[in-house]
């Protein structure tokens, strides 16, 4: 357990708190054990780059039809989380559900923003207070993806305390391509024309027999 910490090359009181340093080290250790495909912007980490104002941690995941995503991480002060997804096949996402849990005053939850670009611009639209806890919830509209397309969802902070956040969604089969109304009219006209031509031929046949 660290009792004090100053990043390499940092002088004259620019160290970070021991608690924050321990939290960062613990997160890196968990990532190494889990072996997930996580891309960490090392140059931005406070431990290794004291001149940076924010750290960005990126989690990368592949998506296929039927994938159910339930992300749960903790965003730290001065940090940004990026969840990056790659579609392995054509699919559709109806919506994204996001949440955050903070202190009883709700200030930390209110300061978090999220979105498809960095920094996020959407705040939590629902803030509920319960005892010593504040809960924030929000949604993002979904969209259709073609195989190989990539998108990201960012959580950006303006917080003073760590805040647990979640992100949930499901990858559904691609939407069926609707037939334009003009196509339906044309199809009906062709069927009607075919029936008319068939009936006309039958009448001609009868006239020939009668003659």
């Amino acid at each position: 357990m660290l009792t004090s910490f100053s990043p390499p090359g940092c002088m004259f009181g620019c160290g970070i708190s021991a608690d924050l340093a321990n939290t960062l080290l613990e997160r890196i250790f968990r990532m190494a054990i889990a072996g997930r495909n996580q891309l960490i912007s090392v140059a931005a980490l406070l431990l290794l780059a004291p001149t940076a104002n924010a750290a960005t941690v990126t989690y990368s995941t592949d998506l296929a039809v039927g994938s159910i995503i339930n992300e749960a991480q903790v965003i730290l002060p001065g940090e940004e989380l990026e969840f990056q997804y790659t579609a392995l096949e054509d699919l559709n996402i109806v919506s994204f559900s996001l949440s955050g849990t903070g202190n009883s005053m709700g200030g930390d939850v209110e300061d978090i923003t999220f979105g498809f670009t960095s920094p996020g611009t959407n705040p939590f639209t629902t803030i509920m207070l319960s005892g010593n806890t504040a809960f924030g919830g929000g949604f993002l509209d979904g969209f259709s993806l073609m195989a190989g397309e990539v998108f990201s969802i960012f959580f950006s902070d303006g917080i003073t305390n760590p805040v647990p956040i979640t992100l949930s969604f499901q990858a559904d089969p691609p939407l069926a391509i609707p037939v334009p109304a003009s196509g339906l009219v044309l199809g009906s006209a062709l069927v009607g024309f075919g029936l008319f031509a068939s009936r006309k031929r039958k009448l001609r046949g009868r006239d020939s027999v009668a003659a």
Side-chain angles (χ1 to χ4, degrees), residues 36-200:
R36 288 186 57 186
N37 182 22
Q38 297 169 331
L39 308 175
I40 306 175
S41 180
V42 177
L45 282 174
L46 292 176
L47 291 175
L48 301 179
T51 58
N53 293 323
T56 298
V57 182
T58 302
Y59 301 89
S60 297
T61 304
D62 292 334
L63 293 179
V65 172
S67 295
I68 299 176
I69 302 300
N70 290 298
E71 307 281 9
Q73 294 294 335
V74 176
I75 185 169
L76 303 176
E79 183 177 70
E80 179 178 66
L81 299 184
E82 177 187 9
F83 297 93
Q84 185 181 87
Y85 302 97
T86 302
L88 300 180
E89 57 184 326
D90 294 355
L91 52 86
N92 181 66
I93 300 171
V94 176
S95 64
F96 302 87
S97 175
L98 310 94
S99 73
T101 306
N103 58 40
S104 59
M105 300 301 293
D108 288 336
V109 173
E110 291 177 346
D111 289 337
I112 289 180
T113 56
F114 53 86
F116 298 113
T117 58
S118 174
T121 57
N122 301 280
F124 289 122
T125 54
T126 301
I127 304 291
M128 296 186 296
L129 305 180
S130 178
N132 295 324
T133 304
F135 170 83
F139 294 91
L140 290 172
D141 292 334
F143 42 76
S144 294
L145 291 164
M146 297 180 65
E149 288 189 313
V150 179
F151 73 94
S152 293
I153 292 180
F154 296 87
F155 283 86
S156 304
D157 87 321
I159 59 178
T160 56
N161 296 301
V163 172
I165 57 91
T166 67
L167 166 63
S168 302
F169 64 93
Q170 179 171 329
D172 297 325
L175 298 175
I177 300 176
V179 178
S182 58
L184 292 175
V185 172
L186 178 60
S188 300
L190 291 175
V191 171
F193 179 78
L195 293 175
F196 174 76
S198 176
R199 183 176 181 183
K200 189 174 182 180

